[in-house]
DNA sequence: CTGAAAGCGCTTACAG
DNA sequence: CTGAAAGCGCTTACAG
């Protein structure tokens, strides 16, 4: 009675071989996309393996390869690696990798050169434009997937542009006309595409853009936006508010803005609407924001990694996002 | 030339058996503390295994046991799980576990009941006083280690009391006399022990305590302390500052305090010294703080987990911390 | 194209 | 107390 773990008994290749009436060698070849097997047989085996929900044993594979299926997770620049969004991503990545029998191991941005020595593949986070990591990995022959904008090689990203476009449109439909964008320029890779979604919606409605640009920061995003907005209001005077909505690049920035407005008794959303992006658990409570499915991003990264490992052609996957209307708009 | 991974070739039990001139069965028994082997032989084998720096193959063990050595990492309450300190802890835990051939899998605080079904052991983070998790795990027979204050069962924690005591004393030696403590009461498990370190040092110097208590928060710690201090100064008047030093329970709180003082042109550290706790990378730059070795905490957790799995007697390990003097004191 | 067999490192009945 | 052998699930030369 002590142990009642539901044995997640996956079928083994032996079971599949039995059903397909072939040898386990053929099953192994079919499963791994190895040559030397007829297409008919391969299809048959693949179908059966799907039916029995086959999951390979990572342990057995490792035993043979002599080393674990270690996937290096390369973090972005130091200043962004501690952000809630990334933390959530790490967690989901760990789970997704584990389900495929892979083991994650973290590398700081500046440890990229060590990565190929310790891992057989990599997932790159928080890539910037002039990032040297892809070059380093390519030179070492280490397959990788980027979580970020489309570009060379495999990559996944939420549809930032569409998200910001939708949320900006939502504000416009509410009758808001003086809508400002709050974001950091250096805050790669998100701001660029997010900002352009905002721009697109504003242009279509023939409204003029306003930008509250944030400095590159090392500490709290919320504190940064709070202080920035505060300073701005001190100068411009809170009486003739130059905006009736603040579209923020992240939930954290939005929270800082909400706090700053509250502290000046400016009503949200009556006088000023505030929107975020990410829909981070706990943090985004009450916030109108754009939800991105972090678990899906993690799962897709791992799937693409398998494709990369199998030598398939690179592709970019854009994952849908959803508008979440709450109290701040 | 493409692959030049330094094969971290650990010796296998076969190698040990060869050197000891025994069978691999005996080696296995000696290594696993199984009965049915003479003490002399066991010692001999253990010595050799140490000499060759033997590391068991997790893959092989898993293959036999039929399931991976999955360790559930149980996160604290939602509001604290996204803090930088915990992120760092996750990362180090992942690495430490991996080195022992174990695989981490994350569980939210309220998913604890599922943990025993999917993991064979657990590490508990951010435990509160009335936490139900230990009870749930004990009932399920799942061995676990807590990262937190001494109590029942296995646990590890940095020496919070000593750290706060040291940093407070440092300020006292500088001639500061009006030293306030900045911390959140609900901010378990750290505040309690940290606060008492401060109290101890203040009492010894016969100085009176001051407490700037923070509300339970869901967003940014830095923003919270910034606003709290700001509000405090608005009331008390910035001219007759009631303190000449702020001892904060975390680096993040300290950063908010520094920002608030800066925005009022109060000089740090001339007029007011500010200290943190944790020495978080990037965040703590420039901050006088107490460093705790997160990697060591992670490693010790995993070591204790092995002891728990082996049925050894529970113990608490307190890890040393170090004063780091920088620009804010 | 397909299969029988060896072997990855380890544990554990089964003999002695 | 000690050892020879089987077997965990899989991959990969080696034959056919």
């Amino acid at each position: 009675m002590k142990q009642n773990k539901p044995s997640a008994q996956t079928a083994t290749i032996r079971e599949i071989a039995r059903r397909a009436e072939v040898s386990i060698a053929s099953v192994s070849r079919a499963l791994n996309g190895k040559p030397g097997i007829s297409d008919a047989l391969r299809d048959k085996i693949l179908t059966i393996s799907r039916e029995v929900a086959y999951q390979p044993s990572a342990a057995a594979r490792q035993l043979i390869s002599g080393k674990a299926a270690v996937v290096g997770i390369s973090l972005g620049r130091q200043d962004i690696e501690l952000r809630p969004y990334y933390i959530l991503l790490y967690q989901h990545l760990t789970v997704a990798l584990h389900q495929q029998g892979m083991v994650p191991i973290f590398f700081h941005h500046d440890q990229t050169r060590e990565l190929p020595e310790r891992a057989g593949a990599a997932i790159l986070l928080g890539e910037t434009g002039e990032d040297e990591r892809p070059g380093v990995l390519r030179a070492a022959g280490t397959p990788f997937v980027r979580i970020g904008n489309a570009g060379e090689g495999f990559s996944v990203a939420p549809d930032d542009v569409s998200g910001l476009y939708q949320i900006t449109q939502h504000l416009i439909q509410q009758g808001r006309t003086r809508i400002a964008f709050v974001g950091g320029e250096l805050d790669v890779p998100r701001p660029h595409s997010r900002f352009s979604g905002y721009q697109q919606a504003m242009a279509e409605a023939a409204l003029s853009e306003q930008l509250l640009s944030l400095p590159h920061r090392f500490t709290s995003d919320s504190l940064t936006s709070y202080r920035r907005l505060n300073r701005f209001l001190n100068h411009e005077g809170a009486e003739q508010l130059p905006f009736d909505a603040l579209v923020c690049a992240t939930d954290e920035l939005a929270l800082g803005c909400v706090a700053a407005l509250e502290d000046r008794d400016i009503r949200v959303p009556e006088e000023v609407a505030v929107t975020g992006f990410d829909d981070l658990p706990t943090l985004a409570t009450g916030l109108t924001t754009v939800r991105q499915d972090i678990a899906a991003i993690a799962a897709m990264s791992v799937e693409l990694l398998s494709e990369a490992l199998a030598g398939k052609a690179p592709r970019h996957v854009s994952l849908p996002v959803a508008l979440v209307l709450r109290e701040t708009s």
Side-chain angles (χ1 to χ4, degrees), chain A:
Chain A
M1 268 321 225
K2 255 186 180 172
Q3 305 272 36
N4 62 336
K5 303 183 197 301
S7 45
Q9 292 289 26
T10 310
T12 67
I13 58 169
R14 212 170 301 275
E15 168 66 10
I16 297 175
R18 196 183 58 70
R19 298 203 188 201
E21 297 178 300
V22 295
S23 71
I24 59 168
S26 292
V27 175
S28 176
R29 282 190 274 259
L31 254 21
N32 295 296
K34 297 272 175 178
I37 183 172
S38 67
D39 286 349
L41 220 198
R42 183 188 301 280
D43 288 347
K44 180 179 179 186
I45 291 172
L46 255 25
T47 303
I48 294 178
S49 88
R50 230 167 284 129
E51 284 171 7
V52 299
Y54 171 73
Q55 291 240 12
S57 157
R61 285 185 169 170
Q62 289 173 209
L63 231 205
I64 293 162
S65 70
K67 61 176 180 183
V70 175
V71 174
I73 296 188
S74 174
L75 309 173
R77 292 189 327 262
Q78 269 210 317
D79 50 306
I80 66 169
E81 72 184 37
L82 296 185
R83 301 166 67 150
Y85 173 79
Y86 283 99
I87 301 153
L88 254 11
L89 194 50
Y90 305 154
Q91 292 182 15
H92 284 114
L93 238 20
T94 300
V95 171
L97 246 17
H98 175 237
Q99 284 174 349
Q100 297 303 310
M102 303 180 195
V103 177
I105 168 165
F106 297 98
F107 290 85
H108 289 291
H109 192 276
D110 52 6
Q111 296 176 317
T112 308
R113 289 176 192 287
E114 301 166 29
L115 196 155
E117 295 175 3
R118 304 213 280 142
I123 293 178
L124 263 49
L125 270 37
E127 191 186 358
T128 70
E130 61 287 3
D131 200 319
E132 58 155 23
R133 294 180 293 166
V136 172
L137 295 180
R138 235 181 300 262
T142 305
F144 65 92
V145 169
R146 285 182 303 108
I147 295 187
N149 295 327
E152 266 186 292
F154 288 93
S155 54
V156 215
D159 193 347
D160 284 350
V161 180
S162 161
L164 252 278
Y165 176 79
Q166 286 180 52
I167 210 161
T168 306
Q169 251 198 350
H170 155 69
L171 293 169
I172 292 172
Q173 281 163 9
Q174 277 191 164
R176 318 251 175 195
T177 53
R178 292 162 302 138
I179 305 172
F181 181 84
V182 181
E185 297 153 303
L186 294 172
D187 197 24
V188 199
R190 295 184 276 164
H192 180 63
S193 50
R194 293 195 181 170
F195 184 55
S196 67
Y198 158 81
Q199 286 184 300
Q200 200 176 313
M202 294 297 275
E204 281 184 17
L207 295 174
S208 53
E209 296 172 9
Q210 276 187 74
L211 180 59
L212 209 62
S213 175
L214 300 174
H216 186 44
R217 41 95 275 169
F218 288 97
T219 154
S220 150
D221 273 340
S222 298
L223 179 55
T224 303
S225 64
Y226 178 96
R227 294 172 83 188
R228 178 74 183 82
L229 184 52
N230 231 350
R231 214 167 298 139
F232 178 82
L233 293 173
N234 284 339
H235 288 314
E236 309 288 319
E239 285 141 48
Q240 65 260 14
L241 276 175
F243 45 70
D244 55 15
L246 295 174
V247 174
C248 303
T250 69
D251 286 342
E252 295 156 275
L253 293 178
L255 288 173
C257 289
V258 169
L261 294 170
E262 269 180 15
D263 284 356
R264 285 179 173 264
D265 292 322
I266 297 174
R267 284 166 302 140
V268 176
E270 292 79 0
E271 295 176 76
V272 179
V274 180
T275 65
F277 198 113
D278 288 337
D279 195 32
L280 298 176
T282 320
L283 279 187
T285 325
L287 211 58
T288 285
T289 189
V290 175
R291 171 180 301 152
Q292 58 165 305
D293 188 342
I294 302 183
I297 291 175
M300 181 53 75
S301 312
V302 176
E303 191 176 322
L304 289 181
L305 201 60
S306 302
E307 294 186 10
L309 252 8
K312 297 196 182 168
R315 62 186 179 119
H316 173 79
V317 176
S318 177
L319 260 22
V321 297
L323 204 53
V324 182
L325 303 181
R326 285 194 281 241
E327 300 147 32
T328 58
S329 78

